[in-house]
Amino acid sequence: AQSVSQHNHHVILSEAASLELGCNYSYGGTVNLFWYVQYPGQHLQLLLKYFSGDPLVKGIKGFEAEFIKSKFSFNLRKPSVQWSDTAEYFCAVTYPYNTDKLIFGTGTRLQVFP
Amino acid sequence: EAQVTQNPRYLITVTGKKLTVTCSQNMNHEYMSWYRQDPGLGLRQIYYSMNVEVTDKGDVPEGYKVSRKEKRNFPLILESPSPNQTSLYFCASSLADRPSTDTQYFGPGTRLTVL
C-alpha cells in the first residue's frame, strides 16, 4: 500500500540542538519527495523537495534532507534549531504509478525551547 | 498577491445542515485538492481536480462532494455533515496538472465543528 511513515510524532529540543526527523516511504522505484512545514497559525509551506540528482537537498531556513534509496528514507535535518522552528513537519511523496496524488505522513510536531 | 483563499475560516454547524466551504486561487493553477487534517492522522486527501470539469476521489471522499466549473474555484460540499467530519480542512493548488513535480500552495485552513 502507498504510505509514508514518520516515526517521530513529537520532538522536543533546546535551541542550538541538532535536529533529524525521520521519513520512510514504501516503494523501491523512483519517487518524488517533499517536506512541508506548518508554523503555528500559518499555511503549510514547502521546505524542500527531491526529484532526482544530488541526494542531499537544501531547503529554506537552513534545512536539508538526504535521500537514501537503500533505506527508503528522506530524513530532514538542521544542525542548530531555533525557537522559531517550532512547527509541525510533514513528509510527502508521490509515487510514479499514481502521480495524481501527494501522500502525506502523519506529521512530526517539533517544540524548541529557548 | 498570489494566494489560495478559503471561506469560512471557522464554522460551527449541526448534523445534517448542508454547507459549502469555498476555495479560490488566483495563480491560474491547474491542480486543486482538498485535504483534512486530524491529530495523529496527518493530512488525508478528500478530492482532487486536475483540470476544469475533471475531479477524482482521494483517500477519504465519503460524505463530501466537489465541483470544478471554473479553473480558479474548487468548493467542498458537505451535503449532510456528521460529527466525524469535524476537522481542519485545507485547500491546495499547483501549477502543473498533477502534484508529482510541483509545489503545492495551501490555503489558510477551515476549522469545521459539527455538533
Side-chain angles (χ1 to χ4, degrees), chain A residues 32 36 38 43 46 99-100, chain B residues 31 48 90 98-100 104 106:
Chain A
N32 292 339
Y36 282 84
Q38 186 178 27
H43 308 196
L46 182 71
T99 56
D100 301 352
Chain B
Y31 185 92
Y48 63 94
F90 288 100
R98 53 200 64 213
S100 54
Q104 295 289 297
F106 284 83

Side-chain angles (χ1 to χ4, degrees), chain B residues 16-71:
Chain B
K17 186 176 181 182
K18 181 179 178 180
L19 66 92
T20 299
V21 184
T22 64
C23 173
S24 183
Q25 50 89 7
N26 61 1
M27 296 171 280
N28 202 35
H29 282 178
E30 297 289 336
Y31 185 92
M32 297 187 75
S33 181
W34 276 103
Y35 297 89
R36 60 178 288 175
Q37 183 181 7
D38 301 289
L41 297 176
L43 279 85
R44 294 178 294 167
Q45 191 177 48
I46 303 169
Y47 268 95
Y48 63 94
S49 169
M50 291 190 287
N51 212 328
V52 175
E53 302 293 1
V54 178
T55 64
D56 209 344
K57 295 177 181 178
D59 295 317
V60 288
E62 294 77 21
Y64 304 95
K65 285 174 58 177
V66 293
S67 68
R68 187 99 181 266
K69 294 187 171 61
E70 306 166 280
K71 196 172 188 179

Side-chain angles (χ1 to χ4, degrees), chain A:
Chain A
Q2 306 169 31
S3 68
V4 180
S5 298
Q6 292 183 247
H7 300 294
N8 314 105
H9 299 297
H10 190 189
V11 174
I12 301 172
L13 295 172
S14 298
E15 277 192 318
S18 65
L19 170 72
E20 181 160 2
L21 301 181
C23 172
N24 290 93
Y25 59 93
S26 58
Y27 179 68
T30 303
V31 294
N32 292 339
L33 295 152
F34 307 79
W35 275 98
Y36 282 84
V37 60
Q38 186 178 27
Y39 297 104
Q42 294 189 27
H43 308 196
L44 276 92
Q45 58 185 281
L46 182 71
L47 265 183
L48 49 79
K49 57 188 176 184
Y50 174 77
F51 299 153
S52 63
D54 188 344
L56 185 61
V57 180
K58 294 198 183 298
I60 61 171
K61 304 189 181 187
F63 285 91
E64 65 179 30
E66 185 174 13
F67 170 59
I68 303 180
K69 190 172 182 179
S70 61
K71 294 185 178 180
F72 303 92
S73 70
F74 188 58
N75 292 355
L76 182 71
R77 300 196 295 244
K78 186 170 185 179
S80 176
V81 294
Q82 301 171 309
W83 175 80
S84 58
D85 293 324
T86 294
E88 190 152 18
Y89 294 81
F90 293 93
C91 183
V93 62
T94 61
Y95 292 95
Y97 49 81
N98 196 352
T99 56
D100 301 352
K101 290 185 174 185
L102 182 62
I103 299 167
F104 283 86
T106 52
T108 297
R109 184 173 170 226
L110 172 66
Q111 282 184 291
V112 180
F113 289 96

